[in-house]
Amino acid sequence: MVASQINNLLNHPQPLHTSMNDLPPHFDSAATSNMVAAAKNVLKSNILGAFTKPAPSLYPHQWNWDAGFIALGYARSDFRQACSEMTALFRGQWAHGMVPQIVFSVKNVGKYFPGYFFWDTRDVPLKPRNTRTSGISMPPVHGFVLNRLLQLTPDQKAYRPFFRRMFDRVLLLHQYYYQFRDPDREGLAFICHPWESGMDNLPTWEEVFSQIHFNDSEVPPYERRDLEHVDALYRPRQQSYDRYIYLVNRMRQQRYQEPEMWDDFPFQVQEPMFNAILSHSNEALLEIGAWLRRDTGQLREWHTQTNRAINDKLWSESRGIYVSYDRVQRRQIPLTTAGGLIPLLCSAPDAAQTARMVALLQSPVFAGEPEHPAWLCASTALNEPGFDPHRYWRGPVWINMNWMLYHGLRRYGHHPLAERIRADSLELVRKYGFWEYFNPWKNLPEGETKGGYGSNQFSWTAALTLDWLER
Ligand code: GLC
């Protein structure tokens, strides 16, 4: 696709929703209404006042990118709650702009590890005084979420102050990434912990950790709580957890002081999905900024620079997909994961790159073989040595990843493939329920009937189902 066609698509966005006819026949209007009602119930049962927790017991606080996806689920039926999700999250924003991965609810103290006291952010001067937060961030979906809210707002005038306030907050967040997480001023933000990627347990992080050496004494004593709710088979292994905690401990010992903390920090990864989300949110802020009559020159520069850097540094010609770059070891990490496809969302890929990724999605790497087909899209490619269809981020399908991929493909005019991703996602939910993640194989091994894992009644699965089904 040539640049002018892409621009045309950008300037004339496709309708948000396609017809129900794209879905399998059992998605008749009764089935669809039932699903919408069930999804609304999930959100209703997870709501904690100003915000909605991601899951009933596994995640009892507010999470950063979850809040953005959840807001989209409310946008058509309860716009005030959609705005409230965003406002509540940004109450946790630190003075230099960072928006934390978790904003803790005082009601659920002790129910989650690592909790507020473990993060030990209480006396960090940058943290807002009256809010309890963790000390790292997450993928900055907020810009593009805000832009979709603007498209769906029932009353642009009445909500203008909300958009004005949020625009400034999100802009400050982006400034944080370009100032503190892009020391070489390349246009790429690095993440300092697997949890910042939102894709906590990718095999990619194992590659990075294989170069980080520490003693047991550098991992403080701790007790996991996740295994009280979910079978260990579906969760990260203990060895990975020790490494997560080792990194948290380093940061808290250094009192979260940036940029000093990064001088010898061992985990610094430029990940394609994270940067694509940042870039797409830059474009979204450009649109909101134009509406608010703000100066958007800086945003335009960031968008151009980040897209260029994503291509220069994160594209793998041999794999035909984007991959992560380890800033410490100064090398690409050669692994095929769904995050490597998300730059479609921010219009980084050119026609040839897009063709490679579209081919990969339809090849055995993601789609499986005719006799062993897979739902799109596995979080870690089916042919990776670290692939595991049950374990958190090592293979299962996640609905938020599919939602971003769907929009990325539509942006490039790949409507049938986008529709397949939407149909696969909705079919997984219909078949198994509102799970956190799903087995990517269409045919489960004999004797296995459970295809959804992690937490059931998962908020963003419900919210994005609503975004796909409601008109
Ligand atoms: C898990 C996911 C992360 C999500 C969080 C809360 O940690 O890996 O992406 O934000 O749960 O749902």
Side-chain angles (χ1 to χ4, degrees), residues 138-213:
M138 262 196 155
V141 297
H142 322 90
F144 74 71
V145 166
L146 201 62
N147 199 25
R148 288 179 70 84
L149 293 183
L150 180 59
Q151 290 162 22
L152 294 169
T153 177
D155 185 343
Q156 282 202 347
K157 195 158 167 247
Y159 281 98
R160 199 176 167 93
F162 164 77
F163 285 105
R164 209 183 304 128
R165 252 190 339 266
M166 284 306 304
F167 176 87
D168 291 338
R169 294 293 201 119
V170 181
L171 189 64
L172 185 63
L173 168 66
H174 288 208
Q175 259 157 13
Y176 162 77
Y177 285 123
Y178 288 102
Q179 184 177 349
F180 291 101
R181 299 299 188 90
D182 181 19
D184 299 324
R185 303 290 176 253
E186 299 171 274
L188 293 176
F190 71 79
I191 53 169
C192 63
H193 194 291
W195 292 340
E196 280 204 327
S197 75
M199 303 177 289
D200 310 16
N201 196 37
L202 288 181
T204 316
W205 317 136
E206 297 298 313
E207 290 273 324
V208 182
F209 280 125
S210 70
Q211 303 301 320
I212 303 179
H213 306 288

Side-chain angles (χ1 to χ4, degrees), residues 56 165 218 389 422 433 462:
R165 252 190 339 266
E218 292 173 85
R422 172 173 173 262

Side-chain angles (χ1 to χ4, degrees), residues 220-410:
Y222 70 94
E223 219 174 294
R224 288 174 73 164
R225 305 296 305 265
D226 57 326
L227 302 181
E228 292 165 21
H229 307 285
V230 178
D231 191 307
L233 171 71
Y234 307 119
R235 295 286 303 175
R237 294 197 173 85
Q238 194 54 38
Q239 191 196 28
S240 308
Y241 232 87
D242 280 352
R243 291 155 164 189
Y244 303 154
I245 296 306
Y246 162 76
L247 290 178
V248 171
N249 194 42
R250 275 189 74 132
M251 287 185 271
R252 65 180 195 178
Q253 280 173 343
Q254 296 188 53
R255 308 310 301 135
Y256 302 96
Q257 233 179 44
E258 299 180 66
E260 297 80 355
M261 182 165 74
W262 306 132
D263 285 348
D264 58 353
F265 201 76
F267 192 105
Q268 300 189 27
V269 180
Q270 293 161 320
E271 194 279 325
M273 180 193 76
F274 191 98
N275 282 285
I277 288 176
L278 177 63
S279 176
H280 186 44
S281 283
N282 281 328
E283 308 178 88
L285 287 185
L286 267 168
E287 288 183 23
I288 304 170
W291 177 66
L292 292 170
R293 296 181 211 283
R294 295 293 180 87
D295 178 4
T296 53
Q298 174 72 80
L299 285 160
R300 198 170 297 281
E301 253 172 58
W302 283 339
H303 178 239
T304 311
Q305 197 200 7
T306 298
N307 275 12
R308 193 184 309 127
I310 287 176
N311 281 330
D312 289 349
K313 206 169 178 189
L314 308 184
W315 176 253
S316 163
E317 188 55 31
S318 60
R319 291 183 172 247
I321 192 169
Y322 295 91
V323 297
S324 286
Y325 185 90
D326 182 338
R327 275 193 83 237
V328 176
Q329 298 298 323
R330 302 194 173 279
R331 60 165 195 130
Q332 281 193 344
I333 306 167
L335 274 165
T336 304
T337 68
L341 302 165
I342 305 297
L344 287 163
L345 191 64
C346 67
S347 77
D350 64 17
Q353 290 168 311
T354 306
R356 296 279 310 271
M357 288 190 283
V358 164
L360 200 63
L361 259 173
Q362 294 170 298
S363 78
V365 170
F366 281 115
E369 304 282 354
E371 64 285 1
H372 197 21
W375 305 102
L376 290 178
C377 172
S379 42
T380 294
L382 309 170
N383 65 346
E384 280 296 347
F387 169 80
D388 177 341
H390 300 106
R391 203 178 291 278
Y392 203 52
W393 294 108
R394 294 282 166 109
V397 174
W398 290 71
I399 299 302
N400 66 329
M401 301 298 288
N402 275 6
W403 186 90
M404 290 187 287
L405 198 48
Y406 166 84
H407 285 285
L409 287 165
R410 284 174 66 82

Side-chain angles (χ1 to χ4, degrees), residues 54 59 63 65-66 138 198-200 392-393 398 436 458 460:
Y59 306 118
W63 261 256
W65 70 334
D66 297 63
M138 262 196 155
M199 303 177 289
D200 310 16
Y392 203 52
W393 294 108
W398 290 71
E436 188 179 354
F458 193 67
W460 84 39

Side-chain angles (χ1 to χ4, degrees), residues 42-54 60-62 67 70-71 74 78-89 91 105-108 459:
V42 170
L43 292 183
K44 202 164 148 196
S45 64
N46 285 338
I47 202 164
L48 290 178
F51 72 89
T52 305
K53 57 187 171 175
H61 304 282
Q62 188 179 33
I70 290 168
Y74 285 115
D78 187 349
F79 198 76
R80 278 167 70 107
Q81 185 63 33
C83 298
S84 172
E85 300 287 333
M86 299 285 276
T87 309
L89 177 73
R91 248 181 241 144
S105 142
V106 272
K107 287 197 199 120
N108 290 325
S459 291

